[in-house]
């Protein structure tokens, strides 16, 4: 999967829970109410994670904010790499750790991809003002790794993606690369999106 690129450990992510509408679903920074749409997919290889990103790109459009949560090496950048491939953007999608953000222009007249790593930003949106995400969002697809609790103020409509390692009973022997990917759409935009199409991959 994705090679760890940080020196410091991070607390394990909190996967969203709850039903498909209403409630905060246990998601950090999530609203107390509103329209919610949740789909879970299991992938078994890094290639399947990349392909999931390609398929996700087919649902995205300019103005979409995607927040990625997952432990180091969970596959966040692998998913984003597939997303960039599906959007048809220029440049290899890699971890933006040392530059905080990278912009990948479209090669197909579609929206550019803005890939952000918020791991080292301890505060909220005010620490990201120099990135001008509020300016970029209307015309771009903005993907923020480690963005929970930091960038939700950008829009009330967003897609949370939580990646966790599949452990415990029922996991096939040798399936060390298995991941559970939970897509939680918040707002009317994602209530209309066909997230179930992503589940077909599993």
């Amino acid at each position: 999967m994705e090679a760890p690129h940080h020196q410091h450990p991070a607390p394990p992510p909190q996967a969203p829970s709850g039903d498909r509408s209403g409630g905060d679903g246990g998601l950090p920074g999530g609203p107390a109410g509103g329209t919610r749409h949740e789909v879970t997919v299991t992938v078994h290889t890094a290639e399947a994670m990349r392909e999931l990103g390609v398929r996700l790109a087919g649902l995205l459009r300019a103005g979409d904010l995607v927040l990625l949560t997952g432990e180091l090496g969970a596959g966040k950048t692998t998913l984003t790499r597939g997303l960039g491939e599906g959007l048809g953007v220029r440049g290899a999608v890699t971890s933006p750790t040392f530059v905080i953000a990278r912009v990948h222009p479209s090669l197909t007249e579609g929206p550019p991809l803005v890939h952000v790593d918020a791991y080292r930003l301890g505060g909220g949106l005010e620490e990201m003002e120099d990135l001008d995400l509020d300016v970029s969002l209307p015309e771009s697809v903005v993907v923020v790794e480690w963005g929970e609790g930091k960038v939700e103020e950008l829009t009330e409509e967003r897609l949370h993606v939580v990646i966790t390692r599949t452990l415990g009973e029922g996991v096939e022997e040798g399936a060390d690369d298995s991941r559970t990917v939970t897509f939680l759409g918040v707002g009317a935009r994602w209530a209309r999106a066909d997230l179930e199409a992503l589940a077909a991959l599993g």
Side-chain angles (χ1 to χ4, degrees):
M1 285 289 179
E2 166 193 359
H5 52 269
H6 296 294
Q7 296 300 317
H8 303 290
Q14 298 181 33
S17 59
D19 59 22
R20 292 173 182 258
S21 62
D24 65 4
L27 191 70
T35 304
R36 304 171 74 83
H37 185 183
E38 183 175 328
V39 170
T40 298
V41 180
T42 300
V43 297
H44 300 288
T45 65
E47 176 59 24
M49 184 69 79
R50 185 198 61 79
E51 175 60 25
L52 183 60
V54 172
R55 296 178 74 147
L56 174 60
L59 302 179
L60 297 177
R61 65 191 187 197
D64 283 340
L65 173 65
V66 181
L67 277 64
L68 297 182
T69 300
E71 63 186 5
L72 298 178
K76 298 183 297 298
T77 300
T78 300
L79 180 73
T80 307
R81 188 173 298 120
L83 196 158
E85 179 182 333
L87 289 175
V89 299
R90 186 176 68 206
V93 174
T94 60
S95 172
T97 302
F98 299 107
V99 295
I100 307 293
R102 285 195 177 97
V103 179
H104 298 271
S106 174
L107 297 173
T108 62
E109 298 185 357
L113 170 65
V114 179
H115 184 201
V116 181
D117 188 326
Y119 182 88
R120 290 180 290 135
L121 302 178
L125 188 60
E126 64 277 2
E127 286 195 40
M128 306 182 76
E129 288 180 351
D130 290 343
L131 300 180
D132 289 330
L133 293 183
D134 55 337
V135 176
S136 301
L137 183 58
E139 61 188 29
S140 309
V141 171
V142 177
V143 176
V144 184
E145 298 189 27
W146 308 100
E148 297 288 358
K150 298 177 181 177
V151 298
E152 287 89 345
E153 297 172 37
L154 285 172
T155 176
E156 294 181 353
E157 297 186 319
R158 55 191 179 271
L159 181 65
H160 296 260
V161 182
V162 179
I163 306 174
T164 56
R165 296 179 188 274
T166 303
L167 302 172
E169 291 186 31
V171 177
E172 296 179 6
E173 184 177 355
D176 295 337
D177 282 338
S178 293
R179 304 287 191 271
T180 297
V181 185
T182 300
F183 297 92
L184 178 61
V186 176
R189 153 77 177 107
W190 293 103
R192 298 187 297 267
D194 186 18
L195 291 177
E196 281 76 13
L198 299 173
L201 183 68

